[in-house]
Amino acid sequence: MSVLMVLVPLLLGALVHRVSLSRARRVRRPGSDKWVRESFAPAAFGLVPAAALDAGRAGPPLGEHRLAGMRSVAFAVRDGDWRAASAYVAAAGEDWDARWSRTEFLQELATDGDDWLRAWRREEPGNADAATLHASLLVHRAWEVRGSGYAREVGDERMRRFQEMLPEAVEVARAAAALDPRDPGPWVVMITASRALAPSRRQFGELWENLVARAPYHYAGHWQALQYWCAKWHGSDRLMLRFARRAAANAPAGSPLAGMYLHALHELDERGGTGLVRARSSGSRKLLERVHASFALVGPEDERLPRLRHLLAHYLLATGNNDAALEQFRLLGRWCGAYPWTEAADPVAAFDHARGLAAKGSSARRALRSGAAAKGRASMTR
């Protein structure tokens, strides 16, 4: 019991969150900008005080109603009740993004013990949800053997074991796809595994067409495909960016899918620091504005949105779109536990400095200065 009670909040960042050191001390603003260091007053721009910033999370915790349901499922599977897991996935209906999110949650629970999943597969061998979950768990276990480093950092034995484990996952995923031809989940599993199995682009294209035929805007499926097309796997910067631009252009209202372009810029920054350079190009500026407009239509409860807002604020600031960046900082509120701020020695100070730069270049500051000047002139004529 104690393992699951710890596991659920760690996975979801929702039961408890770490209290930022910034609450107990004054935030020191880094950088060389004198105005930000000495004159930036967050409240004047609709921002939370620096002392309230919290680097323990990327965004607010999930709602209690949702958490209660997840806790209930976690405790049920701990006791071997696979029916609770089955009902949990099925309750998402044909909201394929939600269904995949629930499958991922169950996958994490299964890493702590999968007797309940084995029982589910025995009792319902024709259940596509159980088969998809099994396939996803096999991919996860293979990736645990490999590790998260670049290929050159993975030992030969670990890489051999990794590649030997993946075909079984693909076989189980194909069986799951046959059990429920509507469900894109098995195809997400196959696309994920394909990064290591290195299919030809034609073969990968067949997997992709099967996925988007079922769920054309599947967020996790797009993220996995973005990885396939990036230079560290089987594509290039050009192919990855082309894929990301198409996803952003095709993102429907209410979907965070336009954030794929932010993931692509982040990928460039992680490998060579060129994401910021790319963001400043004229084409990227326009695309970032499109992403910004798209996010305005995404429901605030979408758990993917906070991390995307951090990326968007970062790249908007780099392009000089200070008003749009400042809007993202307002929406983020106190939360700053995400990339790029977590790359700094003091994430709170890095976040605070970035929002100070956005405020400095914003129309809101110009309005404040004009108002102060007008007030000064009025006082002189009295």
Side-chain angles (χ1 to χ4, degrees), residues 135 169-179 186-187 190 203 206-207 210:
V170 172
E171 181 180 346
V172 174
R174 288 199 176 277
L179 291 171
W187 299 97
M190 286 184 266
Q203 292 170 320
E206 291 175 357
L207 296 177
N210 272 286

Side-chain angles (χ1 to χ4, degrees), residues 251-256 290-302 305 309:
S255 167
R290 185 184 185 98
V291 175
H292 173 254
S294 178
F295 284 2
L297 303 176
V298 179
E301 74 286 350
D302 193 304
L305 197 53
R309 287 200 190 283

Side-chain angles (χ1 to χ4, degrees), residues 127-140:
N127 188 295
D129 294 331
T132 301
L133 174 57
H134 182 196
S136 183
L137 180 62
L138 289 172
V139 171
H140 175 78

Side-chain angles (χ1 to χ4, degrees), residues 20-294:
S20 171
L21 292 176
S22 64
R23 294 184 182 181
R25 58 169 170 79
R26 180 178 175 83
V27 173
R28 179 182 64 82
R29 295 193 178 106
S32 58
D33 190 279
K34 183 177 180 180
W35 183 88
V36 174
R37 290 198 314 271
E38 300 178 1
S39 303
F40 172 44
F45 298 91
L47 302 168
V48 300
L53 295 178
D54 191 332
R57 302 182 50 84
L62 298 178
E64 182 54 37
H65 177 73
R66 184 173 175 191
L67 278 175
M70 298 175 87
R71 282 195 294 264
S72 176
V73 172
F75 290 129
V77 300
R78 175 208 64 186
D79 294 333
D81 181 8
W82 57 265
R83 290 177 178 82
S86 178
Y88 179 66
V89 177
E94 292 191 10
D95 182 341
W96 300 119
D97 278 336
R99 202 175 185 100
W100 181 255
S101 177
R102 293 180 179 218
T103 299
E104 287 189 311
F105 173 64
L106 293 177
Q107 173 200 289
E108 295 297 338
L109 294 180
T111 62
D112 195 51
D114 66 348
D115 287 349
W116 58 273
L117 175 56
R118 296 183 186 211
W120 186 6
R121 296 232 60 195
R122 284 195 306 271
E123 294 296 320
E124 293 190 340
N127 188 295
D129 294 331
T132 301
L133 174 57
H134 182 196
S136 183
L137 180 62
L138 289 172
V139 171
H140 175 78
R141 286 175 172 165
W143 232 276
E144 282 190 323
V145 169
R146 180 195 185 279
S148 59
Y150 289 105
R152 63 179 179 273
E153 301 168 348
V154 181
D156 292 343
E157 177 60 19
R158 281 194 295 145
M159 186 64 81
R160 182 188 64 77
R161 290 175 56 205
F162 170 60
Q163 292 176 334
E164 286 178 349
M165 294 170 73
L166 287 172
E168 180 186 2
V170 172
E171 181 180 346
V172 174
R174 288 199 176 277
L179 291 171
D180 186 355
R182 303 167 305 155
D183 190 354
W187 299 97
V188 177
V189 174
M190 286 184 266
I191 284 173
T192 305
S194 72
R195 281 159 45 198
L197 295 174
S200 68
R201 290 181 180 174
R202 180 188 61 79
Q203 292 170 320
F204 180 82
E206 291 175 357
L207 296 177
W208 178 247
E209 289 301 321
N210 272 286
L211 170 63
V212 296
R214 292 160 174 80
Y217 310 116
H218 199 286
Y219 188 90
H222 275 77
W223 190 88
Q224 294 295 343
L226 183 79
Q227 292 298 304
Y228 175 88
W229 288 116
C230 76
K232 70 185 179 188
W233 287 101
H234 307 295
S236 65
D237 292 348
R238 181 181 62 83
L239 291 171
M240 176 188 68
L241 287 165
R242 184 176 69 179
F243 176 85
R245 283 193 296 266
R246 287 177 177 173
N250 295 330
S255 167
L257 188 63
M260 285 300 129
Y261 188 65
L262 303 175
H263 286 306
L265 294 177
H266 182 195
E267 175 68 28
L268 293 177
D269 276 336
E270 279 198 321
R271 287 192 297 103
T274 60
L276 282 173
V277 175
R278 173 72 63 170
R280 294 186 182 104
S281 69
S282 59
S284 281
R285 287 170 185 261
K286 293 178 181 178
L287 195 48
L288 287 170
E289 290 174 3
R290 185 184 185 98
V291 175
H292 173 254
S294 178

Side-chain angles (χ1 to χ4, degrees), residues 54-60 306-307 310 332 335-338:
D54 191 332
R57 302 182 50 84
R307 290 189 183 278
H310 288 287
L332 286 166
W335 311 108
C336 54

